[in-house]
Amino acid sequence: MRFQVYGFADRQEKRGEVLHTGAITAHGHPWKLGIYPRGITTPSTVSSRICSIYLCLDEYIECDESITTKFTIRTKTTSNSTKSDFTNKEWEIGCGWSNFSERDRLIRDDCDEDGTLVIDVDIEVATAKNPVWYPKTKGNNDIGSALYESPDFSDVTINAGRNGKEFKLHKCVLALGAKALCELVQNESIVDLPDVDALAFEEIMKFIYTGNKPDVSNNEERAISILLLADRFECNPLKLYIESVITEKLLKPSNAAALLLFADSHSCPLLKEACMEAYANDPQSVMESKDGWQNVVESNKILAELLTFATMGRKQYIPITTTGDLVESVNDMNITSLRERLDSANLDVDGSHKILVERWKQHLRKK
């Protein structure tokens, strides 16, 4: 967030008098600065030659609520950071520093030629996250592990990647775990796939044969590579699992724009919804991302969806209850809510929000 105080050197506020900036929304809350150009009156040790600056929440908080933050307030030459819980006690005063910097130093070193003082605020807000849906996956399979590690009874050999890493596989297993791959090799005994990522292909085969899930929680590039290949070969359980990992572990404001485009292109509604949620919570950080935002701007479709989502289209996480669901409430459910319900009813969990809504409504009407 960037705040500007025009004519800072000419401000006439006396010691103890506050100047409030306009509010800027970040992480779903409006924030402003409370600036005391000649210092706050308490503590008494603060001199009128000191400038006090506080971050203020521009909305009222109920007594039993709090917002946990980590923020930095910085000018050209001064930077201070802290962690703070905003409660109803801090609603008016804010949190910050009574001795942020000497007034003369701010005027001399930090104001531009027009006398404008620019103050940047970086803020992180800890919020209670809604749960992220994960698909049910089979555990370790001893028989599958034995098959995977042995070439016995293999009826197809796949050479993956540019170096042709060899995999001796079984068409019957591929038919169950990767239908599109099975169709590709069904009439062949040796197949070369030089355009695939051999490491990603290996992770998919391990998953199909053994049920072991790849650890990609710290590797966005690897996660995307596996998801793309799982999507190509119709290994849907792994695709859904990787989508959930990216959503929960790897998504952040700096990559939300790029991942939004990716999710839209490869039918990942859980990730797409989370990316739009990231934009709705902190649009400035998402728009400042180097990768992706320019491409988002060039897509009228995505921009329209973002606008609708941020203004009136945000969906809710609604836990499953014993009383059941009303058909008219299904439209308001987010992807996790819908997938949890469809999964519990052994129904297909893949598809866009619109498809999942209609699928669950049809199930409810049959009851």
Side-chain angles (χ1 to χ4, degrees):
M1 297 182 290
R2 171 161 289 186
F3 299 90
Q4 294 178 311
V5 183
Y6 300 100
F8 177 76
D10 300 325
R11 299 296 308 186
Q12 298 300 309
E13 285 83 4
K14 299 177 181 178
R15 184 184 176 199
E17 294 180 347
V18 64
L19 159 69
H20 281 119
T21 66
I24 298 176
T25 299
H27 299 287
H29 300 283
W31 307 90
K32 63 183 180 181
L33 291 179
I35 304 170
Y36 297 80
R38 291 178 173 78
I40 198 169
T41 53
T42 56
S44 58
T45 54
V46 176
S47 166
S48 60
R49 290 176 293 183
I50 295 294
C51 177
S52 308
I53 301 181
Y54 294 83
L55 179 64
C56 307
L57 186 63
D58 196 30
E59 64 181 0
Y60 182 72
I61 304 176
E62 298 296 335
C63 294
D64 58 346
E65 294 181 356
S66 67
I67 300 174
T68 300
T69 67
K70 177 182 178 182
F71 65 89
T72 299
I73 297 180
R74 53 188 170 85
T75 60
K76 290 181 181 178
T77 64
T78 304
S79 179
N80 289 316
S81 301
T82 189
K83 295 180 179 179
S84 183
D85 288 336
F86 282 81
T87 65
N88 65 330
K89 293 181 181 179
E90 288 81 19
W91 176 58
E92 292 185 280
I93 299 174
C95 301
W97 294 267
S98 59
N99 57 344
F100 180 82
S101 181
E102 293 182 1
R103 171 181 165 80
D104 289 343
R105 179 182 176 184
L106 290 175
I107 295 172
R108 182 184 67 247
D109 299 333
D110 292 343
C111 289
D112 62 20
E113 294 179 355
D114 297 326
T116 299
L117 177 63
V118 176
I119 305 173
D120 288 313
V121 178
D122 303 317
I123 185 169
E124 299 176 17
V125 175
T127 56
K129 291 186 177 181
N130 288 330
V132 174
W133 175 88
Y134 276 83
K136 296 175 184 176
T137 55
K138 297 178 181 179
N140 187 276
N141 185 326
D142 291 337
I143 297 177
S145 298
L147 276 175
Y148 181 68
E149 294 168 0
S150 171
D152 294 342
F153 307 109
S154 167
D155 54 5
V156 63
T157 298
I158 294 179
N159 300 311
R162 287 179 294 179
N163 295 325
K165 184 170 183 178
E166 186 178 78
F167 295 86
K168 291 190 174 295
L169 305 170
H170 309 79
K171 294 178 183 178
C172 60
V173 177
L174 298 181
L176 295 173
K179 295 180 181 179
L181 180 59
C182 182
E183 292 174 0
L184 182 67
V185 305
Q186 63 181 346
N187 296 320
E188 308 290 341
S189 58
I190 300 177
V191 176
D192 295 329
L193 297 175
D195 62 325
V196 306
D197 182 330
L199 293 177
F201 187 82
E202 183 175 13
E203 294 288 4
I204 292 173
M205 293 305 105
K206 286 181 179 178
F207 178 83
I208 291 171
Y209 275 81
T210 71
N212 290 339
K213 299 182 287 291
D215 181 7
V216 295
S217 57
N218 294 309
N219 194 327
E220 180 184 340
E221 183 179 355
R222 174 60 55 202
I224 288 176
S225 181
I226 294 173
L227 189 150
L228 287 173
L229 208 53
D231 188 29
R232 172 179 168 181
F233 293 140
E234 295 185 24
C235 182
N236 289 333
L238 182 57
K239 177 196 172 184
L240 293 169
Y241 172 77
I242 298 296
E243 180 191 5
S244 297
V245 172
I246 296 173
T247 300
E248 184 177 34
K249 306 291 186 181
L250 299 173
L251 174 62
K252 51 192 175 184
S254 61
N255 65 4
L259 286 177
L260 173 59
L261 294 167
F262 172 83
D264 183 65
S265 298
H266 297 284
S267 301
C268 299
L270 182 72
L271 178 58
K272 182 177 179 179
E273 184 178 74
C275 291
M276 292 194 291
E277 191 72 43
Y279 172 81
N281 287 335
D282 191 1
Q284 183 173 354
S285 295
V286 175
M287 289 188 291
E288 288 175 354
S289 62
K290 295 180 181 179
D291 299 326
W293 182 252
Q294 184 56 43
N295 291 328
V296 169
V297 171
E298 293 173 0
S299 171
N300 291 333
K301 170 182 173 292
I302 295 295
L303 283 177
E305 288 186 57
L306 273 177
L307 179 61
T308 301
F309 184 89
T311 55
M312 56 185 175
R314 300 173 81 167
K315 307 302 179 183
Q316 303 174 3
Y317 173 68
I318 304 176
I320 297 176
T321 63
T322 56
T323 57
D325 299 323
L326 297 174
V327 172
E328 52 267 28
S329 69
V330 177
N331 288 335
D332 296 327
M333 295 179 182
N334 66 8
I335 296 293
T336 287
S337 303
L338 292 165
R339 283 186 170 175
E340 285 181 349
R341 286 160 169 78
L342 292 165
D343 203 11
S344 67
N346 295 316
L347 297 172
D348 185 8
V349 298
D350 206 6
S352 67
H353 184 271
K354 181 179 180 180
I355 290 172
L356 299 185
V357 164
E358 187 55 37
R359 191 174 293 151
W360 187 241
K361 283 184 177 180
Q362 289 178 1
H363 177 75
L364 292 177
R365 294 187 185 109
K366 291 178 181 178
K367 286 186 174 182

